[in-house]
Amino acid sequence: MFTGLIQGVGRLRQREPRRGDVRLHVDVGTLPFADVRLGESIAVNGVCLTVVDFDAARFAADVSTETLSLTTLGVLRDGAALNLERALLPMDRLGGHLVSGHVDGVGRVLQVWDDARAQRWRFELPVALARYVAKKGSICVDGVSLTVNEAGDEFFEVALVPHTVAHTAFAETGAGDVVNLEIDLLARYVERLMAKRGTSGEE
């Protein structure tokens, strides 16, 4: 599990094809990394990956064909900035919201404009995900926990404060770029519970 609070910005060093799938080599950049362990989970642009090799400045993670096809990891360019977060520890503060690192869909940046010192961002999202996105609810975009300011059938908007822009890969993201989206876990479970209730005939 993760919080959606980015701990560092790294960069994609290399994509290594390996018998049909890919091994990503990631420079950790500003991510605190001294106590990393083999097999631990790191969210890379919101995708939970497992560390299979590392040294003091980088780590490697294998990415399946399924993940490559359903997330933006399949189209990342060498040198791309990456939002990085290590897995949540039991004693950590939950400053964002509960994030699983399992991407629900890919969206696209439609528009960015200034809003006083902040920025407003409008994203396109798959229509099938729109029902899970509510005004003032939470959504995870490229691993960043954000609050929804406006929501429509094919879009949503968020506000990014200067700190978020400066300390995430959003500083190098712009209109037309694709992003990973993860809806709030609570929305999934509420829908599942309501579906169960409807089929059981309970009132």
Side-chain angles (χ1 to χ4, degrees):
M1 297 298 293
F2 305 90
T3 67
L5 299 183
I6 300 307
Q7 297 171 325
V9 176
R11 292 194 179 273
L12 180 61
R13 174 186 290 188
Q14 179 189 359
R15 297 169 58 90
E16 178 190 353
R18 293 176 71 92
R19 291 185 295 180
D21 55 32
V22 169
R23 177 167 290 186
L24 297 183
H25 297 267
V26 176
D27 289 323
V28 298
T30 57
L31 179 71
F33 205 61
D35 59 344
V36 68
R37 295 184 180 182
L38 196 66
E40 78 166 77
S41 296
I42 297 179
V44 177
N45 276 8
V47 183
C48 179
L49 299 179
T50 300
V51 175
V52 298
D53 188 25
F54 69 92
D55 60 28
R58 57 101 213 171
F59 70 91
D62 292 327
V63 186
S64 69
T65 55
E66 175 85 354
T67 300
L68 291 170
S69 66
L70 297 177
T71 72
T72 64
L73 298 190
V75 297
L76 284 177
R77 300 180 301 274
D78 287 355
L82 302 171
N83 292 318
L84 303 176
E85 181 188 355
R86 295 173 66 182
L88 179 67
L89 297 174
M91 68 288 295
D92 287 344
R93 291 188 178 93
L94 185 60
H97 71 283
L98 285 174
V99 174
S100 69
H102 301 158
V103 170
D104 293 297
V106 172
R108 185 179 302 274
V109 182
L110 292 176
Q111 189 179 1
V112 182
W113 67 97
D114 291 335
D115 184 8
R117 293 189 307 114
Q119 293 179 347
R120 289 288 290 254
W121 290 60
R122 174 175 281 208
F123 296 91
E124 179 183 47
L125 81 165
V127 174
L129 296 183
R131 67 178 182 270
Y132 302 110
V133 180
K135 187 173 182 177
K136 301 308 177 185
S138 296
I139 192 166
C140 190
V141 180
D142 269 353
V144 183
S145 174
L146 298 170
T147 300
V148 177
N149 291 108
E150 299 291 342
D153 291 337
E154 298 180 358
F155 77 93
F156 67 93
E157 292 178 8
V158 300
L160 300 185
V161 298
H163 179 89
T164 300
V165 175
H167 292 90
T168 69
F170 282 123
E172 299 182 29
T173 304
D177 289 337
V178 290
V179 293
N180 294 315
L181 302 176
E182 181 184 332
I183 60 171
D184 193 338
L185 284 169
L186 291 177
R188 295 186 202 170
Y189 288 117
V190 167
E191 181 183 56
R192 178 69 172 167
L193 287 170
M194 296 298 290
K196 284 282 191 180
R197 184 174 182 179
T199 57
S200 69
E202 294 178 7
E203 295 297 334

